[in-house]
mmCIF file of all heavy atoms in Angstrom:
data_model
loop_
_atom_site.group_PDB
_atom_site.id
_atom_site.type_symbol
_atom_site.label_atom_id
_atom_site.label_comp_id
_atom_site.label_asym_id
_atom_site.label_seq_id
_atom_site.Cartn_x
_atom_site.Cartn_y
_atom_site.Cartn_z
ATOM 1 N N GLU A 202 25.418 -62.800 178.627
ATOM 2 C CA GLU A 202 26.515 -63.730 178.530
ATOM 3 C C GLU A 202 26.173 -65.173 179.044
ATOM 4 O O GLU A 202 26.565 -66.134 178.478
ATOM 5 C CB GLU A 202 27.698 -63.175 179.259
ATOM 6 C CG GLU A 202 28.307 -61.918 178.600
ATOM 7 C CD GLU A 202 29.468 -61.320 179.468
ATOM 8 O OE1 GLU A 202 29.696 -61.820 180.564
ATOM 9 O OE2 GLU A 202 30.070 -60.393 178.954
ATOM 10 N N LEU A 203 25.410 -65.163 180.166
ATOM 11 C CA LEU A 203 25.100 -66.401 180.803
ATOM 12 C C LEU A 203 23.956 -67.143 179.989
ATOM 13 O O LEU A 203 23.929 -68.379 179.923
ATOM 14 C CB LEU A 203 24.636 -66.199 182.159
ATOM 15 C CG LEU A 203 25.780 -65.715 183.176
ATOM 16 C CD1 LEU A 203 25.224 -65.563 184.551
ATOM 17 C CD2 LEU A 203 26.861 -66.645 183.155
ATOM 18 N N LEU A 204 23.079 -66.377 179.392
ATOM 19 C CA LEU A 204 21.932 -66.990 178.659
ATOM 20 C C LEU A 204 22.527 -67.629 177.433
ATOM 21 O O LEU A 204 22.027 -68.741 177.063
ATOM 22 C CB LEU A 204 20.978 -65.933 178.256
ATOM 23 C CG LEU A 204 19.974 -65.444 179.331
ATOM 24 C CD1 LEU A 204 19.185 -64.240 178.827
ATOM 25 C CD2 LEU A 204 19.031 -66.583 179.754
ATOM 26 N N GLY A 205 23.457 -67.027 176.769
ATOM 27 C CA GLY A 205 23.914 -67.597 175.530
ATOM 28 C C GLY A 205 22.937 -67.707 174.435
ATOM 29 O O GLY A 205 21.826 -67.080 174.545
ATOM 30 N N LYS A 206 23.324 -68.343 173.379
ATOM 31 C CA LYS A 206 22.404 -68.457 172.152
ATOM 32 C C LYS A 206 22.045 -69.876 171.919
ATOM 33 O O LYS A 206 22.898 -70.715 171.694
ATOM 34 C CB LYS A 206 23.067 -67.863 170.984
ATOM 35 C CG LYS A 206 23.507 -66.364 171.102
ATOM 36 C CD LYS A 206 24.232 -65.868 169.871
ATOM 37 C CE LYS A 206 24.555 -64.383 170.061
ATOM 38 N NZ LYS A 206 25.287 -63.880 168.858
ATOM 39 N N GLY A 207 20.717 -70.134 172.013
ATOM 40 C CA GLY A 207 20.257 -71.491 171.854
ATOM 41 C C GLY A 207 19.933 -71.775 170.331
ATOM 42 O O GLY A 207 20.395 -71.049 169.446
ATOM 43 N N GLU A 208 19.038 -72.742 170.149
ATOM 44 C CA GLU A 208 18.825 -73.194 168.745
ATOM 45 C C GLU A 208 17.706 -72.433 168.040
ATOM 46 O O GLU A 208 17.589 -72.525 166.819
ATOM 47 C CB GLU A 208 18.495 -74.696 168.834
ATOM 48 C CG GLU A 208 19.647 -75.535 169.281
ATOM 49 C CD GLU A 208 19.320 -77.072 169.309
ATOM 50 O OE1 GLU A 208 18.162 -77.365 169.466
ATOM 51 O OE2 GLU A 208 20.257 -77.853 169.169
ATOM 52 N N VAL A 209 16.864 -71.749 168.827
ATOM 53 C CA VAL A 209 15.652 -71.083 168.162
ATOM 54 C C VAL A 209 15.812 -69.616 168.287
ATOM 55 O O VAL A 209 16.001 -69.024 169.365
ATOM 56 C CB VAL A 209 14.369 -71.555 168.833
ATOM 57 C CG1 VAL A 209 13.113 -70.961 168.111
ATOM 58 C CG2 VAL A 209 14.215 -73.059 168.830
ATOM 59 N N THR A 210 15.666 -68.901 167.157
ATOM 60 C CA THR A 210 15.596 -67.444 167.101
ATOM 61 C C THR A 210 14.415 -67.054 166.247
ATOM 62 O O THR A 210 13.848 -67.829 165.529
ATOM 63 C CB THR A 210 16.928 -66.875 166.512
ATOM 64 O OG1 THR A 210 16.988 -67.341 165.144
ATOM 65 C CG2 THR A 210 18.053 -67.217 167.260
ATOM 66 N N GLY A 211 14.039 -65.810 166.439
ATOM 67 C CA GLY A 211 12.889 -65.357 165.557
ATOM 68 C C GLY A 211 12.520 -63.875 165.848
ATOM 69 O O GLY A 211 13.112 -63.189 166.636
ATOM 70 N N VAL A 212 11.509 -63.450 165.044
ATOM 71 C CA VAL A 212 10.960 -62.113 165.169
ATOM 72 C C VAL A 212 9.467 -62.203 165.165
ATOM 73 O O VAL A 212 8.872 -63.131 164.558
ATOM 74 C CB VAL A 212 11.440 -61.207 164.047
ATOM 75 C CG1 VAL A 212 12.940 -60.881 164.153
ATOM 76 C CG2 VAL A 212 11.141 -61.678 162.687
ATOM 77 N N VAL A 213 8.861 -61.297 165.823
ATOM 78 C CA VAL A 213 7.356 -61.219 165.846
ATOM 79 C C VAL A 213 6.965 -59.842 165.517
ATOM 80 O O VAL A 213 7.400 -58.857 166.174
ATOM 81 C CB VAL A 213 6.845 -61.539 167.308
ATOM 82 C CG1 VAL A 213 5.292 -61.432 167.280
ATOM 83 C CG2 VAL A 213 7.244 -62.991 167.704
ATOM 84 N N GLY A 214 6.126 -59.640 164.488
ATOM 85 C CA GLY A 214 5.606 -58.370 164.107
ATOM 86 C C GLY A 214 4.574 -57.850 165.042
ATOM 87 O O GLY A 214 3.697 -58.619 165.385
ATOM 88 N N LEU A 215 4.707 -56.570 165.437
ATOM 89 C CA LEU A 215 3.721 -55.990 166.383
ATOM 90 C C LEU A 215 2.806 -55.061 165.561
ATOM 91 O O LEU A 215 3.161 -54.583 164.448
ATOM 92 C CB LEU A 215 4.407 -55.248 167.519
ATOM 93 C CG LEU A 215 5.429 -56.172 168.340
ATOM 94 C CD1 LEU A 215 6.081 -55.311 169.444
ATOM 95 C CD2 LEU A 215 4.605 -57.323 168.955
ATOM 96 N N PRO A 216 1.678 -54.680 166.183
ATOM 97 C CA PRO A 216 0.689 -53.836 165.454
ATOM 98 C C PRO A 216 1.182 -52.481 165.037
ATOM 99 O O PRO A 216 0.732 -51.883 164.052
ATOM 100 C CB PRO A 216 -0.494 -53.738 166.508
ATOM 101 C CG PRO A 216 -0.360 -54.896 167.275
ATOM 102 C CD PRO A 216 1.123 -55.214 167.425
ATOM 103 N N ASP A 217 2.190 -51.933 165.808
ATOM 104 C CA ASP A 217 2.753 -50.622 165.457
ATOM 105 C C ASP A 217 3.790 -50.670 164.430
ATOM 106 O O ASP A 217 4.416 -49.686 164.063
ATOM 107 C CB ASP A 217 3.271 -49.885 166.688
ATOM 108 C CG ASP A 217 4.418 -50.635 167.401
ATOM 109 O OD1 ASP A 217 4.819 -51.696 166.832
ATOM 110 O OD2 ASP A 217 4.930 -50.153 168.381
ATOM 111 N N GLY A 218 4.064 -51.837 163.845
ATOM 112 C CA GLY A 218 5.068 -51.999 162.789
ATOM 113 C C GLY A 218 6.436 -52.315 163.364
ATOM 114 O O GLY A 218 7.378 -52.630 162.520
ATOM 115 N N SER A 219 6.658 -52.324 164.629
ATOM 116 C CA SER A 219 7.952 -52.661 165.238
ATOM 117 C C SER A 219 8.018 -54.195 165.285
ATOM 118 O O SER A 219 7.014 -54.930 165.114
ATOM 119 C CB SER A 219 8.115 -52.081 166.639
ATOM 120 O OG SER A 219 7.124 -52.602 167.527
ATOM 121 N N LEU A 220 9.232 -54.667 165.641
ATOM 122 C CA LEU A 220 9.529 -56.143 165.793
ATOM 123 C C LEU A 220 10.012 -56.490 167.152
ATOM 124 O O LEU A 220 10.708 -55.701 167.764
ATOM 125 C CB LEU A 220 10.544 -56.570 164.715
ATOM 126 C CG LEU A 220 10.195 -56.469 163.285
ATOM 127 C CD1 LEU A 220 11.419 -56.910 162.473
ATOM 128 C CD2 LEU A 220 9.014 -57.433 162.980
ATOM 129 N N ALA A 221 9.574 -57.558 167.647
ATOM 130 C CA ALA A 221 10.102 -58.147 168.882
ATOM 131 C C ALA A 221 10.998 -59.268 168.476
ATOM 132 O O ALA A 221 10.696 -60.045 167.650
ATOM 133 C CB ALA A 221 8.955 -58.732 169.743
ATOM 134 N N GLU A 222 12.218 -59.280 169.102
ATOM 135 C CA GLU A 222 13.189 -60.298 168.799
ATOM 136 C C GLU A 222 13.114 -61.322 169.945
ATOM 137 O O GLU A 222 13.123 -60.970 171.137
ATOM 138 C CB GLU A 222 14.555 -59.689 168.647
ATOM 139 C CG GLU A 222 14.799 -58.687 167.613
ATOM 140 C CD GLU A 222 16.172 -58.078 167.594
ATOM 141 O OE1 GLU A 222 17.057 -58.636 168.339
ATOM 142 O OE2 GLU A 222 16.327 -57.112 166.889
ATOM 143 N N ILE A 223 13.091 -62.581 169.563
ATOM 144 C CA ILE A 223 13.124 -63.681 170.565
ATOM 145 C C ILE A 223 14.240 -64.601 170.282
ATOM 146 O O ILE A 223 14.674 -64.817 169.167
ATOM 147 C CB ILE A 223 11.816 -64.408 170.593
ATOM 148 C CG1 ILE A 223 11.633 -65.267 169.378
ATOM 149 C CG2 ILE A 223 10.603 -63.472 170.807
ATOM 150 C CD1 ILE A 223 10.393 -66.185 169.398
ATOM 151 N N ARG A 224 14.890 -65.121 171.382
ATOM 152 C CA ARG A 224 15.965 -66.023 171.176
ATOM 153 C C ARG A 224 15.906 -67.037 172.404
ATOM 154 O O ARG A 224 15.852 -66.623 173.562
ATOM 155 C CB ARG A 224 17.310 -65.360 171.218
ATOM 156 C CG ARG A 224 18.517 -66.273 171.101
ATOM 157 C CD ARG A 224 19.851 -65.553 171.196
ATOM 158 N NE ARG A 224 20.085 -64.697 170.016
ATOM 159 C CZ ARG A 224 20.527 -65.132 168.870
ATOM 160 N NH1 ARG A 224 20.818 -66.397 168.716
ATOM 161 N NH2 ARG A 224 20.699 -64.262 167.910
ATOM 162 N N GLU A 225 15.884 -68.307 172.072
ATOM 163 C CA GLU A 225 15.960 -69.296 173.152
ATOM 164 C C GLU A 225 17.429 -69.316 173.718
ATOM 165 O O GLU A 225 18.382 -69.147 172.905
ATOM 166 C CB GLU A 225 15.555 -70.679 172.658
ATOM 167 C CG GLU A 225 15.448 -71.682 173.809
ATOM 168 C CD GLU A 225 14.894 -73.027 173.336
ATOM 169 O OE1 GLU A 225 15.302 -73.432 172.193
ATOM 170 O OE2 GLU A 225 14.142 -73.688 174.066
ATOM 171 N N SER A 226 17.601 -69.465 175.027
ATOM 172 C CA SER A 226 18.889 -69.554 175.572
ATOM 173 C C SER A 226 19.484 -70.887 175.395
ATOM 174 O O SER A 226 18.844 -71.737 174.715
ATOM 175 C CB SER A 226 18.851 -69.232 177.045
ATOM 176 O OG SER A 226 18.235 -70.279 177.723
ATOM 177 N N VAL A 227 20.687 -71.126 175.778
ATOM 178 C CA VAL A 227 21.286 -72.468 175.678
ATOM 179 C C VAL A 227 20.578 -73.462 176.554
ATOM 180 O O VAL A 227 20.819 -74.661 176.468
ATOM 181 C CB VAL A 227 22.801 -72.448 175.992
ATOM 182 C CG1 VAL A 227 23.554 -71.631 174.896
ATOM 183 C CG2 VAL A 227 23.076 -71.878 177.384
ATOM 184 N N LEU A 228 19.738 -72.999 177.454
ATOM 185 C CA LEU A 228 18.798 -73.855 178.271
ATOM 186 C C LEU A 228 17.493 -73.851 177.670
ATOM 187 O O LEU A 228 16.792 -72.871 177.672
ATOM 188 C CB LEU A 228 18.899 -73.424 179.774
ATOM 189 C CG LEU A 228 20.242 -73.360 180.449
ATOM 190 C CD1 LEU A 228 19.985 -73.056 181.944
ATOM 191 C CD2 LEU A 228 21.025 -74.635 180.326
ATOM 192 N N ALA A 229 17.052 -75.006 177.271
ATOM 193 C CA ALA A 229 15.768 -75.086 176.605
ATOM 194 C C ALA A 229 14.584 -74.623 177.473
ATOM 195 O O ALA A 229 14.527 -74.892 178.704
ATOM 196 C CB ALA A 229 15.400 -76.554 176.175
ATOM 197 N N GLY A 230 13.679 -73.854 176.869
ATOM 198 C CA GLY A 230 12.521 -73.305 177.639
ATOM 199 C C GLY A 230 12.770 -72.005 178.372
ATOM 200 O O GLY A 230 11.861 -71.510 179.044
ATOM 201 N N ILE A 231 14.023 -71.457 178.203
ATOM 202 C CA ILE A 231 14.282 -70.141 178.841
ATOM 203 C C ILE A 231 14.658 -69.183 177.738
ATOM 204 O O ILE A 231 15.657 -69.479 176.966
ATOM 205 C CB ILE A 231 15.454 -70.266 179.855
ATOM 206 C CG1 ILE A 231 14.943 -71.285 180.962
ATOM 207 C CG2 ILE A 231 15.738 -68.872 180.420
ATOM 208 C CD1 ILE A 231 16.033 -71.471 182.013
ATOM 209 N N TRP A 232 13.913 -68.167 177.543
ATOM 210 C CA TRP A 232 14.016 -67.293 176.339
ATOM 211 C C TRP A 232 14.389 -65.856 176.779
ATOM 212 O O TRP A 232 14.072 -65.382 177.851
ATOM 213 C CB TRP A 232 12.613 -67.176 175.607
ATOM 214 C CG TRP A 232 12.045 -68.562 175.272
ATOM 215 C CD1 TRP A 232 11.436 -69.469 176.122
ATOM 216 C CD2 TRP A 232 12.112 -69.200 174.051
ATOM 217 N NE1 TRP A 232 11.074 -70.546 175.495
ATOM 218 C CE2 TRP A 232 11.445 -70.492 174.192
ATOM 219 C CE3 TRP A 232 12.531 -68.776 172.772
ATOM 220 C CZ2 TRP A 232 11.286 -71.302 173.130
ATOM 221 C CZ3 TRP A 232 12.401 -69.704 171.704
ATOM 222 C CH2 TRP A 232 11.740 -70.918 171.902
ATOM 223 N N ARG A 233 14.986 -65.205 175.795
ATOM 224 C CA ARG A 233 15.219 -63.739 175.950
ATOM 225 C C ARG A 233 14.411 -63.029 174.854
ATOM 226 O O ARG A 233 14.366 -63.394 173.665
ATOM 227 C CB ARG A 233 16.737 -63.439 175.679
ATOM 228 C CG ARG A 233 17.195 -61.995 175.817
ATOM 229 C CD ARG A 233 17.549 -61.743 177.280
ATOM 230 N NE ARG A 233 18.128 -60.440 177.394
ATOM 231 C CZ ARG A 233 19.398 -60.143 177.444
ATOM 232 N NH1 ARG A 233 20.322 -61.142 177.281
ATOM 233 N NH2 ARG A 233 19.846 -58.952 177.595
ATOM 234 N N VAL A 234 13.645 -62.034 175.342
ATOM 235 C CA VAL A 234 12.733 -61.291 174.459
ATOM 236 C C VAL A 234 13.072 -59.810 174.550
ATOM 237 O O VAL A 234 13.148 -59.273 175.655
ATOM 238 C CB VAL A 234 11.218 -61.539 174.821
ATOM 239 C CG1 VAL A 234 10.357 -60.787 173.835
ATOM 240 C CG2 VAL A 234 10.929 -63.009 174.861
ATOM 241 N N ARG A 235 13.112 -59.160 173.381
ATOM 242 C CA ARG A 235 13.514 -57.720 173.360
ATOM 243 C C ARG A 235 12.541 -57.024 172.367
ATOM 244 O O ARG A 235 12.393 -57.422 171.235
ATOM 245 C CB ARG A 235 14.963 -57.518 172.902
ATOM 246 C CG ARG A 235 15.337 -56.021 172.951
ATOM 247 C CD ARG A 235 16.823 -55.823 172.651
ATOM 248 N NE ARG A 235 17.123 -56.344 171.279
ATOM 249 C CZ ARG A 235 18.372 -56.366 170.776
ATOM 250 N NH1 ARG A 235 19.369 -56.073 171.616
ATOM 251 N NH2 ARG A 235 18.574 -56.769 169.582
ATOM 252 N N ILE A 236 11.847 -55.973 172.866
ATOM 253 C CA ILE A 236 10.987 -55.111 172.099
ATOM 254 C C ILE A 236 11.632 -53.767 172.046
ATOM 255 O O ILE A 236 11.651 -53.010 173.049
ATOM 256 C CB ILE A 236 9.585 -55.089 172.675
ATOM 257 C CG1 ILE A 236 8.979 -56.489 172.825
ATOM 258 C CG2 ILE A 236 8.761 -54.189 171.765
ATOM 259 C CD1 ILE A 236 7.679 -56.519 173.530
#
Side-chain angles (χ1 to χ4, degrees):
E202 293 174 352
L203 294 181
L204 283 171
K206 298 179 180 179
E208 295 180 334
V209 184
T210 60
V212 294
V213 179
L215 301 180
D217 63 1
S219 63
L220 292 177
E222 298 178 13
I223 67 172
R224 179 183 293 277
E225 191 175 34
S226 73
V227 293
L228 301 187
I231 301 178
W232 306 78
R233 185 84 173 264
V234 182
R235 183 174 65 186
I236 304 173

